[in-house]
Amino acid sequence: MRKLYLDFGGSVGVFIPVDNAADQRASYGSNAMTSLQLNYRQNYFIKLQFGQTTVDFKSQNLFGGITSRVNTKANSTNLGLAVGFQRSFGRWQPFVLAGTGVSFMDVPATSFDSNTNIVNYSTLSGTYLYVNAGGGINFKISKSFTVFLEGQGSTIPNIPKNSNTHLSGISALLGIKAPL
């Protein structure tokens, strides 16, 4: 068995926000991820992850008698590195991982110019630290094809407190990967 080998894969799934404001109903989002995983002796790995999380963004503001409602999507594009451990039991291979990276966020925003009596709509973009951890199970279909189920929890600890983006949460992912 080789000491070092690479896996390439992708996954899609549902994202469940956990940082909703007390008066807001949770809205589900989606998560898609591509990864390149460097395995060492079949048990240890480093995983480069590139993905995007999308959730509903809803906002209502009152500006001098004018009500402004926004109902759109907020996106977070994530690039991170995780380390993990996996152990084989026949075709099954449970794993755990933890990592960190950067999150490039696009957040809808509204502002009111009282001089012109105009409500301005824009998108604020920012780069933030994100942290994730998770676990799952691989099932080896063949030497060249593996399917996996994965659960990840992620948070953006330094997100602005006035943000309604809700991009910290739990992802349930279904994916495929193959050795390179």
Side-chain angles (χ1 to χ4, degrees), residues 73-128:
K73 302 284 185 196
N75 299 310
S76 172
T77 302
N78 305 309
L79 178 62
L81 194 62
V83 295
F85 178 80
Q86 56 195 4
R87 174 129 178 150
S88 293
F89 298 96
R91 291 181 163 207
W92 298 95
Q93 189 178 47
F95 63 90
V96 294
L97 61 93
T100 189
V102 293
S103 178
F104 306 97
M105 292 175 41
D106 294 323
V107 180
T110 57
S111 62
F112 180 68
D113 184 343
S114 59
N115 294 330
T116 60
N117 207 28
I118 293 176
V119 177
N120 296 303
Y121 299 94
S122 62
T123 301
L124 300 175
S125 297
T127 304
Y128 301 93

Side-chain angles (χ1 to χ4, degrees), residues 15-29 53-63 68-76 105-110 122 124 128 156 158-168:
F15 178 80
I16 304 165
V18 296
D19 61 350
N20 286 328
D23 61 340
Q24 290 186 343
R25 193 175 55 120
S27 57
Y28 298 110
T53 304
T54 303
V55 294
D56 287 336
F57 176 91
K58 294 181 182 183
S59 174
Q60 181 172 322
N61 295 303
L62 185 61
F63 299 110
S68 169
R69 290 187 184 135
V70 177
N71 186 0
T72 188
K73 302 284 185 196
N75 299 310
S76 172
M105 292 175 41
D106 294 323
V107 180
T110 57
S122 62
L124 300 175
Y128 301 93
I156 302 172
N158 58 347
I159 195 168
K161 294 299 178 199
N162 61 352
S163 174
N164 284 336
T165 55
H166 312 299
L167 289 166
S168 292

